[in-house]
Amino acid sequence: MRCGSCWARSTARGTRPISAIWSSLGWVPGVTDHIAAADVVIASAGDNTVHEIARVGRPYVCAPEWRYFGEQTRKAERLAELGAAVALPTWPGALAPWRGILDAAKSLDPAALAGLYDDDAAKFAADYLEGLAVSLWAAD
């Protein structure tokens, strides 16, 4: 069972503070179901998060979290270069920019992100590491 923190958008329209539009659902079981049901996913650039979004191929606004080595920022930039996500280097301080951000995400080809997911990735990585270990031991 996959779990994760999830936010839901209110369907009410109009000019309201962001806290009135979005509400936290807290940790939910089956977060992938929530991701799959979303019109657009706004999330960080953590490995599990990116892979879950790629697995279901939803439009993605990638808002990287700060990290010492900048790995989330770099991942967001690369996803944007590939046309797999809209990178959001800073969180907009007003509601006005969000329409353009969401429209840009909806215009992305979902196949660009979905193509980054591979059901056999863990096996591929394990096979590679095992082969590397064998070759390193054989070098002695």
Side-chain angles (χ1 to χ4, degrees), residues 6-130:
C6 188
W7 288 73
R9 183 183 188 282
S10 167
T11 57
R13 303 277 180 188
T15 304
R16 301 181 317 150
I18 196 80
S19 60
I21 297 171
W22 295 89
S23 60
S24 174
L25 299 179
W27 287 89
V28 297
V31 72
T32 305
D33 295 334
H34 292 275
I35 293 170
D39 293 330
V40 174
V41 178
I42 303 168
S44 69
D47 286 336
N48 290 337
T49 301
V50 172
H51 288 112
E52 286 299 311
I53 298 166
R55 186 160 76 106
V56 296
R58 302 306 305 148
Y60 179 25
V61 175
C62 186
E65 296 179 40
W66 180 88
R67 296 289 186 264
Y68 282 103
F69 299 104
E71 63 271 17
Q72 286 205 11
T73 299
R74 183 62 190 119
K75 191 183 308 172
E77 292 167 351
R78 185 65 180 132
L79 288 168
E81 290 168 9
L82 294 170
V86 171
L88 191 64
T90 59
W91 194 264
L95 290 177
W98 281 106
R99 176 58 52 208
I101 294 167
L102 296 175
D103 287 346
K106 288 177 185 177
S107 72
L108 295 172
D109 178 5
L113 181 60
L116 299 176
Y117 180 80
D118 184 345
D119 279 335
D120 295 323
K123 182 181 179 336
F124 176 80
D127 290 347
Y128 171 80
L129 291 172
E130 183 178 17

